[in-house]
């Protein structure tokens, strides 16, 4: 996604050729260069990929299935990590109060955290981009209404909005129904609290692009507005959107963890990292710190890595900062 | 100016009406209020009579109006769980939240601004790099994790750590509740007792850390921006001392956005206080709200919603008006500044 690629929307070579061309240009380009020059960024990329891979392949990677009641033995409960006295070689990071392997719990927890995080970022992105494009390209009343709503929402912190939506859903939905749809509720709650940033960014760029000649040319030859928006304007406003999405993934994961920690997010039957921290928190004072610290550390490392990637991407895509 | 003020006022009122509408719908459509008040052996006739007496048969608009009127007078009904007026419950909890938030805001401001100035002036200094790295960690650690880590170090492991290193380095600090409080009229304060002050330390640090990193980064980028401008070059050309240029010219000009954004942040401090209160079992409004959610205590939820909405609207209104008064140039930028998270 190089900066200044203005004529992408115009008819050109076939998709395959363009893809090959794009890949080649990517490895020749500034972004790849700045990537290979920064060890911190490469490490964070590696950590992020590791997390995502182990989340996707959790059933293969994790030593045990923490949801399989048959594999859990209460006699193994509250074992410390193997490097401490009383550690069991079967459980690298120890076990929780039910005898669940902490390493497996963390891997499956990261799977749920990342799943909710990705889904809410995608949802917020789709919503924000659509509203931003409409707002920026159409202008007028549509623009005024959407941006007023955005203004109002910006005055409230995202975490509070997510908490309210999740709390409302919890009170409105019957308990057993909520047990099934908690994933969608969370994605909705987190996604709805983050769309404004995308909408504002896309709207700003779309307003700039709208007055450019290539859009006017497209309009003159009779391409319908929807096609212009999606095929001509959208590709040119995607750069900043990708940066926001990366940083938002970190924030979405934190928000999900916070909601779960407060006891309103992911239910304890399929714990995310935040739920694990909340459950483990009860054992902190009895000295079983590993039940809460390992999920917490995993969360912090994941968020830090994604944040570093996002920071780097923002700088790399913005030539003004170099 | 007057048109601007009127427009902003109208917008604020609209927002409050919308928040009130959500709170009211919660009341009306979630469960049956009558069921929450009467016992099982109440006859249908008695229920109908109660419904009539409470005005639950009235048209929607009438009920909504009555709800708003009551809320404006501080009457939010009776908590389902505590069986006491919600206004009373909240009034008891407000001092705890506000004291915690104020201490945290002060910490964030008085540590964050100097750190930001330092990192702005010494861009490539070693200490600056350390501060920036720390700030990234501060942003990446969720608030509740910071709190848990502090509890672990200063509450659970402090004696072990001291024993391991051989001298008293890590103090044992309270990790639970507010300590002793003193009643001043209806306001209960923890500022006047030793245990109250000690109990404030860990929660306020937890709450302040995120805002501190935010303020530091903001001051830093503002300083970098201002230091590039022509009038700074001119001031240096005039032979002014570094001190006069840095603090007299540069810092002064960065402070306008910093002050206004800190004002806006006061709102998010109160929102984040909710998390800190849960970690430290701090008896504030946030804890009340979290408990209300898990117990489906709708009057408390509605009241918190209205109160927080009102609070944010007022803060934003004041900040907006300040923008207008202080520096018209900023009006276009403020949305970007408020757009974090």
């Amino acid at each position: 996604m190089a900066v200044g690629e203005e004529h992408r929307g115009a008819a050109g070579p076939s998709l395959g050729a363009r893809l090959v061309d794009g890949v080649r240009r990517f490895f020749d380009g500034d972004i790849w260069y700045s990537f290979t020059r920064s060890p911190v960024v490469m490490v964070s990329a590696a950590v992020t990929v590791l997390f995502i891979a182990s989340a996707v392949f959790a059933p293969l990677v994790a030593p045990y299935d923490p949801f399989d009641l048959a594999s859990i033995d209460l006699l193994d409960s509250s074992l410390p990590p193997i490097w401490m006295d009383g550690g069991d070689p079967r459980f690298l990071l120890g076990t929780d109060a039910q005898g669940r392997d902490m390493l497996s719990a963390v891997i499956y927890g990261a799977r749920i955290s990342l799943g909710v995080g990705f889904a809410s970022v995608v949802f917020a992105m789709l919503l924000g981009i659509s509203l931003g494009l409409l707002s920026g390209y159409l202008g007028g009343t549509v623009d005024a209404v959407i941006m007023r709503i955005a203004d109002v929402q910006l005055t409230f912190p995202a975490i509070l909005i997510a908490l309210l939506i999740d709390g409302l859903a919890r009170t409105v939905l019957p308990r057993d129904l909520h047990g099934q749809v908690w994933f969608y509720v969370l994605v909705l709650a987190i996604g709805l609290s983050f769309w404004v940033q995308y909408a504002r960014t896309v709207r700003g760029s779309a307003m700039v692009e709208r007055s450019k000649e290539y859009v006017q040319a497209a309009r003159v030859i009779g391409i319908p507005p929807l096609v212009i928006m999606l095929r001509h304007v959208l590709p040119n406003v995607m750069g900043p959107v990708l940066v926001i999405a990366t940083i938002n993934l970190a924030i979405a994961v934190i928000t999900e963890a916070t909601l779960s920690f407060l006891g309103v997010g992911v239910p304890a039957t399929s714990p995310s990292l935040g739920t694990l921290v909340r459950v483990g928190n009860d054992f902190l004072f009895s000295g079983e710190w590993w039940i809460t610290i390992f999920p917490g550390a995993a969360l912090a490392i994941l968020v830090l890595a994604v944040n570093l990637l996002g920071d780097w991407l923002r700088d790399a895509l913005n030539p003004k900062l170099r | 100016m007057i048109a601007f003020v009127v427009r902003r006022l109208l917008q604020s009122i609209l927002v409050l009406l919308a928040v009130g509408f959500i709170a009211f719908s919660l009341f009306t459509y979630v469960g049956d209020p009558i069921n929450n008040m009467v016992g099982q052996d109440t006859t249908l006739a008695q229920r109908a009579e109660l419904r009539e007496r409470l005005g639950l048969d009235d048209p929607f608009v009438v009920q909504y109006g009555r709800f708003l009127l009551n809320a404006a007078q501080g009457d939010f009904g009776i908590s389902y769980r505590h069986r006491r007026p919600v206004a009373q419950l909240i009034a008891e909890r407000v001092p705890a939240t506000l004291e915690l938030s104020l201490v945290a805001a002060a910490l964030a401001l008085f540590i964050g601004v100097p750190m930001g100035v330092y990192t702005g002036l010494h861009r490539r200094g070693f200490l600056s790099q350390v501060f920036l790295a720390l700030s990234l960690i501060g942003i990446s650690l969720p608030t509740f994790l910071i709190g848990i880590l502090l509890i672990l170090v200063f509450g659970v492991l402090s004696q072990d750590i001291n024993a391991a290193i051989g001298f008293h380095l890590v103090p044992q600090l309270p990790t639970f509740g507010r300590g002793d409080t003193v009643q001043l009229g209806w306001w209960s304060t923890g500022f006047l007792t030793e245990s109250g002050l000690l109990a404030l330390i860990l929660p306020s640090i937890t709450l302040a850390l995120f805002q501190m990193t935010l303020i530091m980064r903001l001051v830093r980028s503002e300083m970098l921006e201002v230091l590039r401008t022509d009038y700074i070059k001119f001031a240096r050309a005039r032979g002014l001392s570094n001190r006069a240029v840095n603090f007299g010219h540069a810092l002064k000009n960065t402070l306008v956005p910093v002050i206004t954004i800190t004002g806006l942040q006061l709102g998010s401090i109160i929102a984040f206080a909710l998390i800190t209160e849960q970690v430290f079992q701090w008896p504030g409004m946030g804890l009340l709200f979290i408990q209300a959610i898990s117990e489906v205590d709708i009057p408390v939820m509605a009241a918190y919603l209205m109160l927080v909405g009102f609070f944010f609207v007022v803060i934003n209104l004041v900040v907006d008006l300040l923008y207008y008064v202080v520096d018209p140039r900023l009006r276009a930028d403020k949305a970007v500044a408020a757009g974090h998270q």
Side-chain angles (χ1 to χ4, degrees):
Chain A
M1 187 63 49
V3 181
E5 263 180 274
E6 283 202 353
H7 303 287
R8 283 249 314 236
S14 75
L15 186 69
R18 269 166 51 192
L19 206 65
V20 171
D21 189 47
V23 170
R24 194 177 50 77
R25 270 201 295 182
F26 175 75
F27 284 103
D28 280 348
D30 293 341
I31 294 178
W32 180 249
Y33 178 76
S34 98
F35 181 79
T36 52
R37 292 303 294 265
S38 167
V40 175
V41 173
M42 280 159 70
V43 170
S44 6
V47 170
T48 311
V49 169
L50 188 76
F51 263 99
I52 293 175
S54 63
V56 172
F57 301 109
L60 303 174
V61 179
Y64 302 91
D65 180 359
F67 303 119
D68 179 14
L69 290 176
S71 76
I72 300 173
D73 190 344
L74 258 182
L75 290 175
D76 293 332
S77 68
S78 304
L79 292 171
I82 49 173
W83 59 86
M84 286 174 62
D85 292 340
D88 187 310
R90 284 177 300 156
F91 306 110
L92 182 66
L93 299 182
T95 58
D96 70 0
Q98 273 110 47
R100 222 179 274 162
D101 175 39
M102 279 318 293
L103 179 61
S104 311
V106 166
I107 291 174
Y108 273 86
R111 180 185 167 104
I112 291 168
S113 290
L114 274 171
V116 173
F118 266 115
S120 21
V121 166
V122 169
F123 176 58
M125 211 160 92
L126 288 180
L127 189 66
I129 289 177
S130 330
L131 291 177
L133 271 181
L134 281 179
S135 193
Y137 190 79
L138 296 180
T141 321
V142 179
D143 181 37
V145 169
I146 294 178
M147 284 301 119
R148 275 298 82 70
I149 297 175
D151 277 348
V152 169
Q153 181 164 344
L154 263 191
T155 60
F156 295 90
I159 179 87
L160 208 58
I161 294 172
L163 184 66
L164 284 178
I165 298 175
D166 197 66
L168 286 184
R170 194 164 290 266
T171 34
V172 173
L173 297 175
R175 192 166 287 257
D176 38 329
L177 183 65
H178 186 269
Q180 291 158 19
V181 299
W182 58 265
F183 182 83
Y184 303 100
V185 171
L186 263 180
V187 169
L188 194 77
I190 301 175
L192 278 181
S193 59
F194 285 126
W195 66 273
V196 177
Q197 264 185 308
Y198 298 97
R200 275 177 179 276
T201 312
V202 171
R203 169 180 177 264
S205 317
M207 284 171 80
V208 174
E209 298 297 325
R210 183 178 57 171
S211 55
K212 287 194 177 163
E213 280 169 356
Y214 75 98
V215 174
Q216 282 169 5
R219 207 180 300 157
V220 166
I221 59 174
I223 298 176
L226 191 68
V227 179
I228 297 185
M229 275 192 253
L230 292 181
R231 287 212 42 195
H232 298 243
V233 179
L234 185 60
N236 287 310
V237 301
M238 277 308 279
V241 167
L242 278 184
V243 174
I244 300 179
T246 318
I247 295 173
N248 250 350
L249 177 63
I251 302 176
V253 169
I254 287 192
T255 307
E256 179 275 314
T258 305
L259 292 179
S260 299
F261 175 77
L262 293 175
V264 294
V266 180
T269 43
S270 48
S272 73
L273 292 176
T275 320
L276 289 173
V277 173
R278 172 169 62 92
V279 174
N281 198 19
D282 297 340
F283 301 97
L284 198 59
F285 282 96
S286 52
E288 286 142 11
W289 53 268
W290 57 90
I291 303 180
T292 184
I293 291 302
F294 286 133
L299 184 66
I301 292 170
L302 170 66
V303 171
L304 182 64
V306 176
N307 263 336
L308 284 168
L309 268 186
D311 269 9
W312 161 78
L313 198 63
R314 186 187 54 205
D315 295 350
L317 285 178
N318 188 352
K320 271 182 260 168
L321 288 176
R322 276 191 218 126
Chain B
M1 173 78 192
I2 291 174
F4 173 74
V5 173
V6 169
R7 206 171 59 224
R8 281 300 282 110
L9 268 176
L10 278 179
Q11 200 181 327
S12 309
I13 291 171
L14 264 178
V15 173
L16 275 183
L17 284 179
V19 172
F21 181 76
I22 297 175
F24 171 70
S25 325
L26 204 62
F27 249 114
T28 327
Y29 296 114
V30 181
D32 183 356
I34 299 293
N35 270 347
N36 287 305
M37 292 177 199
V38 298
Q40 273 190 334
D41 47 351
T42 318
T43 62
L44 281 177
Q46 281 170 320
R47 283 170 194 246
E49 193 204 313
L50 189 62
R51 199 177 290 275
E52 170 97 40
R53 192 149 48 89
L54 291 173
L56 294 172
D57 287 336
D58 294 341
F60 181 82
V61 181
V62 176
Q63 288 195 50
Y64 179 42
R66 192 163 45 220
F67 173 78
L68 286 181
L69 212 63
N70 285 339
Q73 295 166 351
D75 177 9
F76 292 104
I78 296 181
S79 157
Y80 293 163
R81 168 157 171 93
H82 300 272
R83 304 266 160 215
R84 290 173 50 203
V86 175
Q88 236 180 58
L89 280 174
I90 288 187
E92 278 169 15
R93 303 294 193 108
V94 164
T97 299
L98 283 190
E99 284 188 356
L100 177 62
S101 307
L102 274 181
V103 173
L107 269 183
L109 208 56
F110 290 124
I111 300 176
V113 172
M115 274 168 84
V117 171
Y118 183 86
T119 48
L121 290 178
H122 307 272
R123 264 189 89 173
R124 312 227 175 265
F126 174 71
L127 203 55
S128 299
Q129 301 299 323
V130 173
F131 282 163
L132 281 180
L134 282 181
S135 83
L136 202 62
I137 295 175
I139 285 181
S140 299
L141 275 179
T143 310
F144 65 91
L145 263 187
I146 296 172
I148 288 176
L149 282 180
L150 287 177
I151 291 180
L152 185 68
V153 172
F154 292 98
V156 182
L157 296 178
S158 66
Q159 265 140 26
D160 298 343
I161 295 174
N162 288 332
I165 58 175
F167 63 98
H168 197 77
L169 175 73
V170 183
Q172 175 97 26
L173 291 172
T175 59
F176 184 88
R178 285 185 87 184
D180 298 326
T181 55
V182 176
Q183 207 71 30
L184 300 174
W186 63 276
W187 187 279
S188 64
T189 177
F191 287 148
L192 298 176
T193 61
E194 199 196 332
S195 73
L197 287 174
L198 282 176
L200 258 172
I201 296 176
L202 293 185
S204 58
I205 292 178
T206 307
L207 187 53
L209 219 56
F210 181 77
Q211 308 296 334
M212 200 193 297
T213 53
L214 210 69
I215 290 176
M216 183 196 117
R217 287 173 151 231
L218 178 71
V219 173
R220 174 175 176 272
S221 63
E222 290 285 337
M223 279 296 269
L224 288 178
E225 199 122 302
V226 171
L227 284 174
R228 270 204 292 262
T229 54
D230 287 342
Y231 74 87
I232 294 292
K233 280 184 198 143
F234 183 62
R236 288 200 200 285
R238 270 158 62 203
L240 293 181
S241 67
N242 267 339
R243 200 186 146 84
V245 174
N246 291 344
F247 294 96
H249 287 69
L251 181 61
K252 224 186 225 168
N253 273 292
T254 61
L255 280 186
V256 177
V258 170
I259 288 170
T260 30
I261 285 170
T262 314
L264 281 178
Q265 288 300 317
L266 200 64
S268 73
I269 284 186
I270 288 178
F272 279 98
L274 197 141
I275 302 161
T276 312
E277 285 173 12
Q278 170 81 4
V279 176
F280 291 95
Q281 291 298 302
W282 188 264
M285 288 192 300
L287 198 60
L288 187 71
F289 178 61
I290 295 285
Q291 283 163 355
I293 286 187
S294 55
E295 289 156 356
V296 200
D297 194 343
I298 290 163
V300 175
M301 284 174 73
Y304 184 84
L305 206 64
M306 293 286 289
L307 208 66
V308 169
F310 179 72
F311 198 77
F312 275 88
V313 165
V314 168
I315 288 182
N316 277 285
L317 192 63
V318 170
V319 169
D320 264 11
L321 295 181
L322 275 182
Y323 273 125
Y324 205 90
V325 174
V326 176
D327 188 352
R329 281 178 312 173
L330 289 171
R331 264 185 289 162
D333 294 340
K334 67 173 195 284
V336 180
H340 93 279
Q341 289 229 333

